[in-house]
Amino acid sequence: MDGRQCYDLLVIGGGSGGLACAKEDHAAFYEILSQWTRAASILTFRASPTGPVMWRSSVLLRVSGASPSHTAAWTRRPSHLWLLHSPMDWVVSSAQLGKKVAVLDYVEPSPRGTRWGLGGTCVNVGCIPKKLMHQAALLGGMIRDAPHYGWRVAQAPHDWATMADAVQNHVKSLNWGHRVQLQDRKVKYFNVKASFVDTHTVCGVSKGGEETLLSAEHIVIATGGRPRYPTHVEGALEYGITSDDLFWLKESPGKTLVVGASYVALECAGFLTGLGLDTTVMIRSVPLRAFDQQMALLVTEHMAGHGTRVLRGCAPERVEKLPGQQLRVTWVDLASDRKDAGTFDTVLWAIGRVPETASLNLEKAGVRTNPVTGKILVDAQEATSIPHIYAIGDVAEGRPELTPTAIMAGRLLAQRLSGRTSDLMDYSSVPTTVFTPLEYGCVGLSEEAAVARHGEEHVEVYHAFYKPLEFTVPQRDASQCYVKMVCLREPPQLVLGLHFLGPNAGEVTQGFALGIKCGASFQQVIRTVGIHPTCAEEVAKLRISKRSGLDPTVTGC
Ligand SMILES: Cc1cc2nc3c(=O)[nH]c(=O)nc-3n(C[C@H](O)[C@H](O)[C@H](O)COP(=O)(O)OP(=O)(O)OC[C@H]3O[C@@H](n4cnc5c(N)ncnc54)[C@H](O)[C@@H]3O)c2cc1C
C-alpha cells in the first residue's frame, strides 16, 4: 500500500476519552497475561523451583482458564508468546500482542500562543489545574480561619508565580505519565493533527508539516472542544484570553473581568477572587443554565457575598488597549440599554466551547454533524453515521462535557470493539460538581426538570439550610449552605435528584450518586445512618418538604 500504516484501531485525540479508549484496548491483553503469569508461576515453580522453564502460550491459556474466544485467538499464533521463568522474574518475549492501536494527538496553540502536552483538556487546561487553583484559593480561607483556632499565622499575600509553577509542573508530570502508559501498553502515539482522507484513512500532519497516512478498521474521534471567542466584540480576540491560557500564565492576571455564566466562568472567577484578585464576572442572562436554578442563584449570591463583583444582564461591546498594559472594556446593561466601562488587567472569555471538528474533514468520511452545535451525531453505541467510525466525549452530540463520562464511554467502547462486553454507556444520573468557592454538587434531575417531567403534583422536594460545624468557630457566613433532594411524591419516594451546596460537595455527591444510581428512595436515604459531625449527614437528616412551608433551617446538631 502507498506507505500507509495500518492499525486495528485509530483514536483521534489524546484526551480523557481517547486515551481511555486506546489504553483499554490493550488492558484486555494485560488482564489475561497477568492471569497466565499467576497460573504458570505456580505450576513452573512446582515443576522447577530453580531453573528457567518455558511454556507454550496454548498451554498457559488452558491453565489460566481464558475464554474460548481468547484461547482461539492466541493459539492461532502460539510462537508469539513464551514466558521465561526463573524464580525471581518473568519476561514476555513478544511485543506484537493484542490489537494494533494508535493515538493521534495534536494541540493547536491558543490564539495567544499557549500550548501544552498529551492528556487533553482535563489534564492541561481543565479539571486538574482548575481544582489545584481552587484548592489554593480555599487555603486562603483556611489561613483566615486559622487564628480563630489558635494558629498564629501571618496573613501573607498570595504569590501566583509559585502556585502556577507548582501546578504546571504537576501537569507536565501527568503529560509524561500518559506517554509512558501508552508506551507500556504498546499503543503507538503520533503527535500529529489528523484529518480524514476517506472512511478508513486518516492523514496526520506533524508540527513540521510531515504527513503520515494511517488506516484502520475502526476509528474513534475524541477531539474534544476549545473555548469560544465572541465574534462581534471588538478587540475580543486580540486582547482577551480563555481558560486555555489562564492556567499557564506565569504572572498573576491581576484585576480580571470574566465574561460568561458557565461553570467554567464561575469557577475561574471564584478562585481568582479567593486568591485575592479584584474579580468581576459579567453574566448576560442566566448563570449555570443547565443546572438547578435555585442552586445557581445561591452559588452566585455566595460569590457576590465573598468578594466577586457580579454584573448581571450585561454584555460586553468592546475591548481596547490603553496606553499602559491595561484594557478598557465597554459593556451595555441589556435592561436599561445604558453603557458602562471599566478598566482591567485581564479579560477572560468563558462563554462556552466549540467542538473540535472543523479541521477533521469529516465530509470526506461522510460523518454527520449537528449543523447548529457542530457536534458529531452518535447513537447509543457511540457510532457516527458511518458505522465503523465512533465519537466520544465532548465532541459527541448530547453527551455531558465531563471527563469521567468521556473516560467511561471510551473504555466501554474499546471493550465492545474487542468483544469483551456488549454494555453501553449509561449517561443517566451522572454526578458532577461546580468548584465555586462554595462547591455545588449534584446528581440527577434539577427541580425544574423533575416538575417538567412528572408534574408539580407528583414531585416532593426536601430541603435544609445548614451550618457546617467548621464554620462555627471562625464565624463564617453559612447563608448559602443548602441541600435539597428532589423525589417522586408517591411512596417510597424514588429520589430523582440531589443538590448539595457546601464544603467538599464533590466528595459528598459522589457517595450519594451510587445510591441514586441504584434507585434509592427517600425512605432509604432517611434510614441511612449519618456520619456525625459532617455536612454529608445533612442529606440523611432531610425531613422538611418545600410543600410543608416549614422553616428548613437546621438548628442543633
Ligand atoms: C476550565 C475547565 C474545567 C473543567 N473542569 C472539569 C471538572 O472539574 N470535571 C470534569 O469532569 N470535567 C471538567 N471539564 C471538562 C473536561 O475537561 C472535558 O469534558 C474532557 O476533557 C473531555 O474529554 P475529551 O476526551 O472529549 O476531549 P479532550 O480531553 O479535550 O481531548 C481532545 C484532544 O484531542 C486533540 N485534538 C483535537 N483535534 C485534533 C486533531 N484533528 N488531531 C489530533 N488531535 C486533536 C486535542 O488537542 C486534545 O488533546 C473542564 C473543562 C474546562 C475547560
Side-chain angles (χ1 to χ4, degrees):
M1 273 169 91
D2 49 8
R4 76 182 60 191
Q5 302 186 30
C6 298
Y7 287 85
D8 295 307
L9 176 65
L10 275 187
V11 179
I12 308 175
S16 307
L19 288 177
C21 183
K23 288 185 210 162
E24 184 70 13
D25 205 84
H26 277 248
F29 162 68
Y30 283 91
E31 246 168 53
I32 294 164
L33 182 63
S34 75
Q35 283 179 26
W36 296 341
T37 309
R38 271 199 306 276
S41 176
I42 295 160
L43 283 173
T44 54
F45 187 79
R46 279 184 192 151
S48 173
T50 49
V53 177
M54 294 175 87
W55 287 85
R56 280 185 72 98
S57 59
S58 50
V59 174
L60 295 176
L61 278 157
R62 281 198 295 276
V63 169
S64 70
S67 73
S69 62
H70 283 124
T71 308
W74 294 107
T75 49
R76 252 183 267 130
R77 35 183 172 168
S79 62
H80 279 210
L81 178 70
W82 292 91
L83 298 176
L84 302 178
H85 172 68
S86 73
M88 298 306 291
D89 63 354
W90 286 97
V91 180
V92 183
S93 65
S94 172
Q96 298 300 313
L97 297 166
K99 285 191 173 169
K100 271 188 85 180
V101 181
V103 173
L104 292 68
D105 189 66
Y106 187 85
V107 179
E108 197 63 56
S110 74
R112 196 190 158 104
T114 312
R115 54 175 77 232
W116 52 88
L118 182 64
T121 304
C122 169
V123 167
N124 296 283
V125 286
C127 331
I128 300 296
K130 179 275 302 283
K131 181 84 188 290
L132 291 173
M133 292 194 180
H134 170 64
Q135 174 65 12
L138 291 182
L139 283 171
M142 289 187 197
I143 293 169
R144 279 191 297 281
D145 284 356
H148 296 276
Y149 284 100
W151 290 99
R152 300 213 171 109
V153 287
Q155 301 296 303
H158 179 260
D159 178 39
W160 177 281
T162 305
M163 172 192 72
D165 201 40
V167 170
Q168 290 159 17
N169 281 339
H170 178 65
V171 168
K172 285 175 192 162
S173 77
L174 296 178
N175 297 148
W176 177 248
H178 280 306
R179 290 187 77 140
V180 171
Q181 281 173 19
L182 289 180
Q183 219 167 21
D184 285 352
R185 291 172 189 224
K186 309 283 181 280
V187 176
K188 179 80 179 156
Y189 163 55
F190 292 91
N191 185 199
V192 295
K193 184 163 187 168
S195 59
F196 280 91
V197 175
D198 60 43
T199 53
H200 281 283
T201 315
V202 161
C203 176
V205 182
S206 72
K207 196 175 157 197
E210 199 182 316
E211 293 191 356
T212 310
L213 270 189
L214 303 141
S215 65
E217 191 184 339
H218 297 287
I219 301 177
V220 176
I221 306 169
T223 47
R226 295 295 288 266
R228 184 190 299 279
Y229 271 88
T231 46
H232 35 260
V233 177
E234 205 183 302
L237 191 64
E238 292 92 318
Y239 306 124
I241 66 166
T242 66
S243 54
D244 277 2
D245 307 297
L246 180 66
F247 304 112
W248 292 91
L249 294 179
K250 294 282 177 206
E251 301 299 331
S252 166
K255 182 181 175 187
T256 303
L257 171 67
V258 180
V259 183
S262 62
Y263 78 87
V264 172
L266 299 189
E267 288 179 341
C268 292
F271 75 68
L272 292 174
T273 306
L275 296 176
L277 301 177
D278 182 340
T279 309
T280 302
V281 61
M282 186 181 290
I283 297 174
R284 189 189 175 95
S285 54
V286 178
L288 300 178
R289 186 180 288 281
F291 292 84
D292 186 287
Q293 283 304 295
Q294 183 192 7
M295 305 305 285
L297 186 68
L298 289 168
V299 167
T300 48
E301 260 179 34
H302 178 269
M303 288 179 70
H306 287 76
T308 308
R309 184 177 171 215
V310 182
L311 289 174
R312 284 176 175 276
C314 296
E317 291 200 324
R318 192 164 58 249
V319 184
E320 301 156 276
K321 192 150 204 164
L322 295 174
Q325 282 305 303
Q326 284 204 306
L327 302 170
R328 181 183 157 84
V329 181
T330 310
W331 64 85
V332 60
D333 181 311
L334 296 166
S336 63
D337 215 25
R338 198 168 53 84
K339 302 251 182 302
D340 209 339
T343 305
F344 302 91
D345 298 308
T346 300
V347 176
L348 177 83
W349 304 109
I351 56 168
R353 295 176 64 81
V354 187
E356 273 280 274
T357 49
S359 61
L360 283 172
N361 263 344
L362 291 175
E363 54 295 341
K364 289 257 173 84
V367 172
R368 289 181 48 219
T369 56
N370 176 334
V372 178
T373 62
K375 292 199 173 193
I376 298 175
L377 299 170
V378 285
D379 65 13
Q381 307 268 349
E382 324 293 355
T384 67
S385 46
I386 304 300
H388 67 271
I389 302 179
Y390 304 83
I392 52 170
D394 287 11
V395 80
E397 177 76 10
R399 304 308 192 213
E401 294 186 6
L402 292 171
T403 282
T405 46
I407 290 176
M408 199 179 283
R411 282 199 182 137
L412 285 170
L413 173 58
Q415 290 175 12
R416 288 197 300 276
L417 289 177
S418 61
R420 280 191 290 152
T421 182
S422 55
D423 287 357
L424 297 176
M425 174 67 194
D426 177 1
Y427 290 99
S428 66
S429 295
V430 169
T432 189
T433 289
V434 180
F435 292 96
T436 34
L438 195 62
E439 297 173 5
Y440 164 37
C442 61
V443 53
L445 298 185
S446 65
E447 188 175 342
E448 297 90 330
V451 167
R453 188 175 295 180
H454 299 281
E456 201 169 354
E457 270 312 291
H458 299 287
V459 172
E460 196 75 278
V461 177
Y462 294 93
H463 66 157
F465 280 99
Y466 68 99
K467 185 158 193 154
L469 180 65
E470 302 85 320
F471 282 25
T472 53
V473 169
Q475 293 174 8
R476 276 208 204 186
D477 176 27
S479 319
Q480 287 86 21
C481 290
Y482 179 70
V483 53
K484 76 172 172 184
M485 187 170 270
V486 182
C487 307
L488 278 179
R489 200 171 169 196
E490 290 79 19
Q493 300 191 293
L494 185 78
V495 180
L496 302 172
L498 173 66
H499 302 268
F500 179 92
L501 194 46
N504 306 306
E507 315 299 336
V508 173
T509 311
Q510 181 71 79
F512 283 102
L514 170 66
I516 292 171
K517 187 87 186 161
C518 293
S521 67
F522 179 67
Q523 295 307 319
Q524 288 167 324
V525 172
I526 62 173
R527 269 188 225 119
T528 303
V529 176
I531 300 174
H532 191 65
T534 63
C535 295
E537 72 174 323
E538 301 301 337
V539 177
K541 282 163 60 185
L542 283 171
R543 294 294 183 278
I544 308 248
S545 71
K546 272 195 176 176
R547 187 172 267 107
S548 73
L550 295 172
D551 181 1
T553 307
V554 175
T555 49
C557 66

